[in-house]
Amino acid sequence: MQVNRIRVRGRIDRNVPLAFSFDGRKYEGFRGDTLASALLANGRHLVARSFKYHRPRGILSAGPEEPCALVQLEAGAYTRPNTRATVVELYDGLAATSQNCWPGVAFDIGAINDLLSRFLVAGFYYKTFMWPPGWWQAVYEPILRKAAGLGRAPVETDPDSYEHVFAHCDILVIGAGPAGIAAAIAAGRTGARVMLADAQSEPGGMLLTDGGGIDNRPAMEWVWDSLSELALMKNVEVLPRTTVTGYYDHNFLTALEQVTTHLRPGSRPGLPGERLWKIRAREVIIATGAIERPPLFAGNDRPGIMLASAARTYIDRYGVLPGRRLVVFTNNSDAYRTALAAHDAGCAVEIVDLRRSPPGPDTAGADAAGIPVHQGCVIAGTTGRRGVSGCRIARFDAETGRAFTPHRSLSCDAIACSAGWNPAVHLWSQARGTLSWDRKLACFVPGSCQQRVRAAGACNGTFGLGDCLLEGGRAGSEAARDAGFGAGRRIAPAAANAGYGLEPAFLAPAPRSGAAGKCFVDIQNDVTVADIRLAADEGYRSVEHLKRYTTTGMGTDQGKTSNVNALAVMAGIRGITIPEMGTTTFRPPYVPVGFGAIAGPGRGRFFRLERRTPMHEWHEANGASFSHSGEWLRPWAYPGQCESPAEAVQREALAARTTAGLFDASTLGKIDLRGPDSVEFLNRIYTNSWSDLKPGHCRYGLMLNERGMVFDDGVTTRLGKERFHMTTTTGNAEATLAWLEEWLQTKWPDLRVYLTDMAEQWAVAVLCGPKARAVLCALTGMDVGREAFPFMTFRVGKVAGIPARVFRIGFSGELSYEINVPASYGLCLWKAIIERGRGFGLTPIGTEALHLLRAEKGFVLVGQDTDGTVTPLDLGMGRAVGTGKSEFIGRRSLSLPDVTRKGRLQLVGLKTADPEYVLPQGVHLAERRDARPPCRTIGHVTSSYMSPNLGRSIALALVKDGRERIGERAWALAVDGHVEPVEISRPGFLDAEGRRANG
């Protein structure tokens, strides 16, 4: 049944047949096949449809650069869309279907787009969907959404698991071809820690196809011996089926390893499907090889047309003929090896060589095999519908770049073509390395790079086997030396260099009489040479505009086989060179990476991390209801029996003002800040001055961003001459620390300041309320009286026998003590306070009660009462801005006209006409009772609560010119249509003099 299977060739295991299906039809392959090679073996060329025109598509390549053969793999929960058939390893029972077609790949209704192609040219969507305006949502958007994409995303829960692994090495070698293996051997022998990552299931690179000889023996014997030596080195790790997908700053790279996704789904329970490696390497060697470049000619997209190296790979590695009558179209000597391999395998072959005088060894080999060579000719068009059935060739004049009228037709069922090779410089470019144009090789090669990386082999423009081995070994030795291990003893394997003989050419021109068929540049996205000409005519000539206007290189293949050809076409139109045209940016990932691998173990209950305080066990045991703040799980309230959470909040807030409350503040951001320039740093970070803060004292501060808007707030305490303890809001703790580090490391590297995240090192219990001092006296021998321990100071001592830092601060506006103990003692401290506090009416309070208490005082909650557009002046906190300071972040922005203009939103308080009515948070305020949305409003509610201490509802709001409106009336427009009269007041509703906190 495998009509194109060669009897004796290939590295497949013919003793293990594998059954699979494609579009519901049963086929058979062998272990070692890819889905693409198995389909070709069964005579199946048509496997897909193109994105825009729905034209028939076959298999172009044999590797990850494949733009055409995209299939839907499996069904149900295990389905994977847009899978490249060329890299899918065949397993028993594999089921694949074609995609982007209906009702099937052989007959696709969407192919009508091909008939309308003269209207669906580059940029047609920019011109078509603009009129009439009302059609967008009603007509255009539904159609486009249905047509968008290629495959179908899974709708069921992914049954696979995924892992993330962090690794460090001295040398990372990317690619296990001849250069990569030679580099790994040379580096490994020095004792350096080496990781060798290769995307294929079997190392060897193109040696798996071309073979050849190394050290006077078959090349694969050298590969096996080298891998055996690497396996014995404890300092070397080899990662097959692992594609390095991204190269980032400081030699940080990501790699995707297929652990079980290449096997039958569900066959290896307990193992992850994929593993994402995050690697930090001292030195990196890129040996990723090169990608063959297809020539451009009319009708170049028909199934059966593939790269010459791919045809050779299917013949020699997989034992599959791409066809029975093969035409090889080339401008270089490498494709002659494909012709000879196909001829030896029993295929009828003819060669169309653009070069007028190919090198003698090429023609001699073809003559000896009896292969006709049409010198100085190009393919001027192809025939066939669902597969290529023939081609027309024409004479080519290299001096004028023109082709003449086709003079002959060739019958064929496959075309293998080659216009040269492009080094796979994607990772080099991601590393911010420069690219240089090699005129002789007609390709971009690596230039310079500031990261510690070097290229070797074909990805460096070195195509001869002997030169690749030499360059790889040298790269490994030099990398080991630069990593501190010495160069070691390097023995370069001996191998011959095959001739390349390239005559640079990209576009086979249409003959004067015209050629039937489009000439495709990007075969996945249906971008033609005509589209590029249209882009040039319409002014989209730069490389960035060309890419986006025509969508060249924007498919799942990222233009691996099309980008350079597109640059060549546009450069020719503009009359400039390719390097003058420039390149687009190669972005990670190198190949598509599934969201499952990116998320790793972070799914289900692990999707959102839950950090828990040391007292969480007690909270849970005592019926706390929880809420999230950042990553922290915090007690929202402690409802008792027959008590709702809202009732619990009222009870807790009342207790904190009448007896005592206990709050778990372990989630606060806590930063240890030390160094001789700490005071200067604080002066630049905060709006107020810190030079006069004495040790043992605390100060509240506001942080602004560069635009003068409130970024965060908190209390910072001076522990010593050069040491401070800074607290930040819970939800903004990580962002604040990262922000401070950014300023220190990038803007002020001269400041001698060191920051340490102490958030999880300290457990914090806040004791507040009129009886807080009495409770604390029962737990400590420290003098906590008003005179000995005044407001905004701190003391060091023991509480409940535990070493503690006690700060006389709090967010409730009550007499408060913030008790910090090492995290391991947090639960013990909490239980001790609860036990001693029972006689004083101590009540544990949650975050909602605390927020209610601070609203009664008019204290701002950053992130709730601010939204990134609020300045200290808007909050009425102008006194917190040090006008005498020379500089702080955001200072200059505070002097901009927009910051001081009338009409800005300012923080005020609100009292409802009905004291029982609690304003919904976020409702807008209007100046007139009869205002109805849509209308201009004067502000909105930021916080709203029922206050048991005031016996009425209260709210905070941002209102235009709010301070000038105090005493005025406004109307709150609720979503349900209710209109509530409100009185605008000052933000503080209780204890404006601050006597409670100072008590």
Side-chain angles (χ1 to χ4, degrees):
M1 293 181 62
Q2 300 183 45
V3 295
N4 286 338
R5 184 71 73 178
I6 307 171
R7 285 185 173 274
V8 294
R9 289 200 179 197
R11 303 180 58 78
I12 55 174
D13 187 349
R14 300 170 189 269
N15 295 318
V16 184
L18 303 174
F20 72 100
S21 66
F22 184 75
D23 280 345
R25 185 173 179 179
K26 302 294 185 181
Y27 296 100
E28 190 176 85
F30 295 111
R31 178 188 290 172
D33 265 324
T34 63
L35 175 59
S37 67
L39 287 171
L40 289 173
N42 286 272
R44 184 75 185 247
H45 280 281
L46 175 61
V47 296
R49 290 278 175 164
S50 64
F51 175 67
K52 184 165 68 172
Y53 297 144
H54 288 250
R55 288 172 64 93
R57 289 288 184 262
I59 298 165
L60 180 74
S61 74
E65 66 272 18
E66 177 59 41
C68 299
L70 304 179
V71 300
Q72 188 95 20
L73 201 62
E74 300 301 340
Y78 285 104
T79 190
R80 282 187 287 159
N82 301 333
T83 306
R84 290 151 290 150
T86 53
V87 297
V88 174
E89 296 180 47
L90 197 67
Y91 54 79
D92 196 47
L94 181 149
T97 54
S98 51
Q99 55 185 30
N100 195 44
C101 56
W102 186 83
V105 70
F107 176 76
D108 180 15
I109 292 294
I112 192 174
N113 288 359
D114 196 26
L115 301 177
L116 301 174
S117 60
R118 61 179 297 182
F119 305 106
L120 304 180
V121 294
F124 77 94
Y125 30 81
Y126 296 121
K127 309 164 188 174
T128 306
F129 305 122
M130 304 296 290
W131 184 90
W135 280 32
W136 173 251
Q137 289 185 333
V139 180
Y140 297 140
E141 186 178 20
I143 295 175
L144 291 175
R145 285 192 179 279
K146 189 173 182 179
L150 293 170
R152 297 292 180 183
V155 296
E156 299 179 31
T157 302
D158 188 352
D160 280 330
S161 61
Y162 301 88
E163 286 183 355
H164 285 181
V165 178
F166 295 85
H168 291 77
C169 63
D170 297 309
I171 301 166
L172 172 64
V173 182
I174 307 170
I181 293 176
I185 287 286
R189 286 173 178 172
T190 68
R193 292 175 302 166
V194 178
M195 294 183 71
L196 175 61
D198 188 70
Q200 298 195 80
S201 59
E202 186 179 6
M206 278 302 290
L207 295 179
L208 297 170
T209 294
D210 291 338
I214 299 177
D215 286 341
N216 296 318
R217 55 178 175 155
M220 287 307 299
E221 288 188 11
W222 174 82
V223 171
W224 296 329
D225 290 346
S226 299
L227 292 175
S228 298
E229 181 179 351
L230 291 173
L232 294 174
M233 296 181 185
K234 295 183 179 181
N235 57 310
V236 176
E237 184 172 10
V238 179
L239 298 174
R241 298 189 179 92
T242 303
T243 305
V244 176
T245 59
Y247 199 138
Y248 306 91
D249 291 341
H250 308 294
N251 270 13
F252 177 76
L253 300 96
T254 56
L256 183 67
E257 178 186 3
Q258 290 187 352
V259 182
T260 60
T261 50
H262 63 288
L263 305 173
R264 181 169 52 85
S267 62
R268 297 291 177 90
L271 290 177
E274 293 176 326
R275 182 178 291 126
L276 186 66
W277 289 79
K278 300 180 180 182
I279 305 168
R280 185 78 69 178
R282 288 187 182 180
E283 302 287 334
V284 175
I285 299 172
I286 301 178
T288 48
I291 298 172
E292 193 164 25
R293 183 171 60 235
L296 304 178
F297 56 91
N300 61 337
D301 68 323
R302 302 188 192 281
I305 300 176
M306 65 177 58
L307 298 173
S309 60
R312 192 161 74 247
T313 295
Y314 290 119
I315 292 170
D316 287 335
R317 182 174 177 181
Y318 298 107
V320 173
L321 280 177
R324 293 293 173 178
R325 301 184 312 278
L326 179 70
V327 170
V328 176
F329 176 35
T330 184
N331 66 346
N332 62 81
S333 303
D334 183 75
Y336 276 71
R337 287 191 281 177
T338 298
L340 293 174
H343 178 269
D344 292 344
C347 184
V349 182
E350 292 189 62
I351 299 175
V352 178
D353 196 333
L354 178 144
R355 299 171 297 178
R356 184 174 294 178
S357 301
D362 294 350
T363 55
D367 291 342
I371 300 174
V373 179
H374 305 277
Q375 300 179 19
C377 292
V378 296
I379 291 180
T382 63
T383 57
R385 186 173 180 183
R386 296 175 184 170
V388 65
S389 61
C391 65
R392 296 182 297 277
I393 63 175
R395 295 288 181 189
F396 175 67
D397 186 344
E399 295 181 0
T400 62
R402 294 181 177 180
F404 298 93
T405 303
H407 68 282
R408 187 171 180 179
S409 295
L410 304 179
S411 177
C412 62
D413 57 4
I415 296 176
C417 54
S418 174
W421 292 80
N422 293 323
V425 294
H426 303 70
L427 292 174
W428 182 273
S429 183
Q430 290 177 22
R432 301 298 180 187
T434 63
L435 300 177
S436 302
W437 180 255
D438 190 311
R439 293 183 60 188
K440 184 178 180 181
L441 299 176
C443 62
F444 286 101
V445 296
S448 61
C449 187
Q450 293 184 354
Q451 301 213 55
R452 300 179 66 170
V453 59
R454 47 183 51 81
C459 82
N460 199 37
T462 303
F463 296 126
L465 177 57
D467 292 339
C468 284
L469 293 168
L470 182 64
E471 192 169 79
R474 183 171 60 248
S477 296
E478 292 176 352
R481 179 200 62 204
D482 292 347
F485 290 88
R489 185 172 62 91
R490 176 163 51 90
I491 302 175
N497 292 317
Y500 189 20
L502 174 74
E503 183 174 313
F506 296 90
L507 174 64
R512 292 172 182 172
S513 61
K518 302 177 178 69
C519 180
F520 286 88
V521 178
D522 187 321
I523 299 182
Q524 182 175 129
N525 278 355
D526 285 332
V527 180
T528 65
V529 171
D531 288 325
I532 296 179
R533 290 197 178 104
L534 178 63
D537 291 341
E538 296 189 349
Y540 297 97
R541 296 186 166 204
S542 72
V543 62
E544 294 85 1
H545 292 162
L546 167 66
K547 174 180 178 178
R548 287 156 181 81
Y549 191 69
T550 65
T551 70
T552 300
M554 294 178 64
T556 60
D557 65 327
Q558 295 189 62
K560 291 180 174 65
T561 59
S562 62
N563 280 345
V564 174
N565 280 342
L567 297 177
V569 173
M570 181 58 84
I573 294 171
R574 294 179 56 185
I576 61 176
T577 63
I578 294 177
E580 288 176 321
M581 185 70 196
T583 63
T584 56
T585 302
F586 293 97
R587 294 182 176 90
Y590 175 70
V591 295
V593 178
F595 286 118
I598 295 173
R603 57 187 295 184
R605 66 188 184 94
F606 298 111
F607 177 72
R608 182 174 184 176
L609 297 179
E610 285 187 354
R611 300 171 72 179
R612 303 184 176 192
T613 72
M615 296 80 132
H616 183 85
E617 177 186 328
W618 189 94
H619 303 323
E620 201 169 39
N622 286 269
S625 59
F626 293 94
S627 64
H628 284 91
S629 180
E631 295 178 349
W632 288 99
L633 200 61
R634 309 175 72 185
W636 191 83
Y638 298 87
Q641 290 185 351
C642 303
E643 186 181 41
S644 69
E647 292 170 337
V649 171
Q650 296 293 297
R651 172 179 53 81
E652 293 166 13
L654 188 63
R657 294 262 189 247
T658 56
T659 56
L662 183 63
F663 174 70
D664 183 357
S666 303
T667 62
L668 286 174
K670 296 177 280 290
I671 302 172
D672 184 82
L673 188 150
R674 63 180 72 190
D677 296 322
S678 296
V679 172
E680 175 61 23
F681 178 65
L682 291 173
N683 279 330
R684 297 183 188 183
I685 288 293
Y686 283 120
T687 60
N688 47 342
S689 177
W690 295 81
S691 302
D692 60 345
L693 184 67
K694 299 177 182 179
H697 286 70
C698 317
R699 182 165 291 170
Y700 173 81
L702 276 176
M703 297 182 190
L704 309 183
N705 59 26
E706 297 93 325
R707 295 179 289 110
M709 307 303 163
V710 175
F711 175 71
D712 199 47
D713 69 342
V715 175
T716 295
T717 304
R718 191 163 194 168
L719 305 179
K721 181 181 179 181
E722 297 180 354
R723 188 176 182 186
F724 293 82
H725 176 85
M726 177 188 291
T727 61
T728 70
T729 56
T730 296
N732 214 26
E734 292 185 3
T736 299
L737 178 61
W739 186 68
L740 297 178
E741 286 286 9
E742 180 181 356
W743 281 95
L744 269 179
Q745 296 182 32
T746 64
K747 307 295 194 306
W748 307 321
D750 56 310
L751 291 185
R752 294 166 295 171
V753 180
Y754 308 95
L755 307 178
T756 305
D757 183 8
M758 305 293 287
E760 294 188 345
Q761 271 56 54
W762 294 101
V764 182
V766 179
L767 189 59
C768 64
K771 297 184 179 181
R773 182 177 289 121
V775 176
L776 185 57
C777 284
L779 292 162
T780 181
M782 292 189 297
D783 187 350
V784 295
R786 177 175 179 178
E787 301 299 328
F789 195 175
F791 184 53
M792 296 300 282
T793 62
F794 100 102
R795 299 290 183 265
V796 175
K798 288 188 176 182
V799 178
I802 303 169
R805 292 176 178 174
V806 184
F807 300 83
R808 181 75 198 280
I809 55 178
F811 196 35
S812 63
E814 287 291 325
L815 168 65
S816 299
Y817 297 92
E818 186 178 286
I819 307 167
N820 288 241
V821 298
S824 57
Y825 291 96
L827 182 59
C828 180
L829 172 71
W830 185 270
K831 290 180 177 179
I833 298 175
I834 291 289
E835 181 66 28
R836 293 296 180 90
R838 283 188 180 135
F840 299 93
L842 178 70
T843 300
I845 66 174
T847 56
E848 187 66 5
L850 181 68
H851 292 168
L852 191 160
L853 294 171
R854 65 90 197 170
E856 291 176 343
K857 288 286 294 179
F859 293 161
V860 173
L861 184 60
V862 174
Q864 182 166 318
D865 299 310
T866 66
D867 60 1
T869 65
V870 177
T871 72
L873 306 179
D874 298 331
L875 298 175
M877 301 175 70
R879 290 190 300 175
V881 178
T883 55
K885 292 174 63 175
S886 60
E887 191 59 88
F888 58 83
I889 297 174
R891 182 180 186 277
R892 281 170 287 183
S893 296
L894 293 180
S895 62
L896 295 176
D898 185 68
V899 173
T900 57
R901 64 172 171 80
K902 288 185 65 64
R904 286 192 63 84
L905 296 177
Q906 297 174 341
L907 186 72
V908 296
L910 297 179
K911 295 178 181 179
T912 55
D914 180 0
E916 299 296 324
Y917 181 76
V918 179
L919 292 170
Q921 186 173 308
V923 299
H924 281 257
L925 305 172
E927 292 180 298
R928 304 192 323 272
R929 176 188 289 273
D930 59 351
R932 291 291 184 273
C935 63
R936 288 185 178 274
T937 62
I938 60 173
H940 61 276
V941 175
T942 60
S943 300
S944 181
Y945 306 92
M946 172 58 71
S947 169
N949 301 298
L950 297 169
R952 62 164 298 113
S953 67
I954 59 172
L956 298 177
L958 289 172
V959 175
K960 292 180 180 178
D961 297 320
R963 286 193 291 275
E964 297 179 7
R965 296 176 182 265
I966 290 176
E968 295 182 4
R969 173 166 286 196
W971 283 264
L973 311 178
V975 177
D976 61 3
H978 177 75
V979 179
E980 179 67 20
V982 297
E983 178 189 344
I984 300 175
S985 66
R986 297 189 183 279
F989 301 94
L990 182 148
D991 187 28
E993 300 80 11
R995 292 174 182 170
R996 290 174 175 267
N998 284 286

